[in-house]
Amino acid sequence: MTETTSSPALRTALAYYQAWTSHDLDRAMSFVADEIVCDAPAGRLEGAGAYRAFMGPFVQILLESRLIAAFGDDQTAMIMYETRTVPVPNAPGAECLTVTDGKITYSRFIFDRAPFDAARAAAT
Amino acid sequence: MTETTSSPALRTALAYYQAWTSHDLDRAMSFVADEIVCDAPAGRLEGAGAYRAFMGPFVQILLESRLIAAFGDDQTAMIMYETRTVPVPNAPGAECLTVTDGKITYSRFIFDRAPFDAARAAAT
């Protein structure tokens, strides 16, 4: 795992990551600004409520995660991680986060929806 | 765009990125080790030939790209970017690259295959 240390944005990003990967969504949301904007694969999410509704189901199916790399500077952090989930055994993600005053205000979120779509199709 | 400067791995990653986003696949491959291993959404690719066969078709459909963020240290670089492609107008990607002696030896590559699958299905 690669990680830079002296970045305030990265400290927030890692605290958020540790929280949601520990299934503590409330704590994860404490690092998310009320007015967060997140550009996710399915489109733009606006506001903490929409973001929580996006992350909640994912946290519920999360079995395990491992940080691949994490970097940051004053305002921006980037993390990449593996996850193992109930429907998809290998589901990595990458997030580029803008952090202001200890809160994530913008997120660019990348993951591959294809294996989740395939698992959903197989289950129906 | 966020970018750290003093990282040798990042210098290689950015040179590689500038090359393939300029449609210069030969130059991009000059930064890729013969024995590269790449964990991509569809599975593991081994060797420069397999990597070139993976990137070539993508470079052909690439219309435009923009770096979102780029970080690195001695051996690792992480880049995230937007791309606009012929079938998919908004196709971001993230790469975490291990660089040894100026060559990319390992790549963890994340993008969303779902819109490419949808475009392919719509075309048939």
Side-chain angles (χ1 to χ4, degrees):
Chain A
M1 205 268 299
T2 299
E3 189 178 315
T4 51
T5 47
S6 58
S7 154
L10 184 56
R11 280 199 297 275
T12 298
L14 289 175
Y16 147 84
Y17 168 80
Q18 297 297 347
W20 74 258
T21 56
S22 306
H23 298 88
D24 190 343
L25 190 57
D26 286 339
R27 181 166 163 77
M29 291 304 300
S30 76
F31 301 106
V32 173
D34 290 344
E35 69 281 12
I36 186 173
V37 172
C38 173
D39 284 319
R44 176 162 284 196
L45 304 164
E46 295 186 290
Y51 189 78
R52 188 183 180 111
F54 164 67
M55 286 301 285
F58 188 72
V59 167
Q60 287 190 322
I61 59 170
L62 177 69
L63 297 173
E64 201 174 20
S65 71
R66 182 181 69 80
L67 204 56
I68 296 171
F71 289 96
D73 59 20
D74 280 359
Q75 288 209 302
T76 305
M78 190 157 43
I79 59 176
M80 184 181 281
Y81 45 81
E82 306 277 3
T83 71
R84 187 164 67 85
T85 71
V86 174
V88 179
N90 180 7
E95 301 177 42
C96 183
L97 305 169
T98 304
V99 177
T100 308
D101 297 332
K103 302 269 192 179
I104 298 164
T105 55
Y106 178 77
S107 163
R108 193 78 180 84
F109 206 125
I110 302 178
F111 67 96
D112 181 17
R113 285 179 294 172
F116 290 95
D117 292 349
R120 201 175 300 117
T124 56
Chain B
M1 206 268 299
T2 299
E3 191 176 316
T4 53
T5 46
S6 60
S7 155
L10 184 57
R11 280 199 297 275
T12 299
L14 289 174
Y16 148 83
Y17 168 80
Q18 298 296 349
W20 73 258
T21 57
S22 306
H23 298 89
D24 190 343
L25 190 57
D26 285 339
R27 181 167 163 77
M29 291 305 299
S30 76
F31 301 106
V32 172
D34 290 344
E35 69 282 12
I36 186 174
V37 172
C38 173
D39 284 319
R44 175 163 284 195
L45 304 165
E46 295 185 292
Y51 189 78
R52 188 183 180 110
F54 164 68
M55 286 301 286
F58 188 73
V59 167
Q60 287 190 322
I61 59 170
L62 177 70
L63 297 173
E64 202 174 18
S65 71
R66 183 180 68 81
L67 202 55
I68 296 171
F71 289 96
D73 59 19
D74 281 359
Q75 288 209 303
T76 306
M78 189 156 43
I79 59 176
M80 184 182 282
Y81 45 81
E82 307 277 3
T83 71
R84 187 165 68 85
T85 71
V86 174
V88 178
N90 180 7
E95 300 178 43
C96 183
L97 304 169
T98 305
V99 177
T100 307
D101 297 333
K103 301 269 191 177
I104 299 164
T105 55
Y106 178 78
S107 163
R108 192 77 179 86
F109 207 124
I110 303 179
F111 68 96
D112 182 17
R113 284 178 295 171
F116 291 95
D117 293 348
R120 201 175 300 117
T124 57

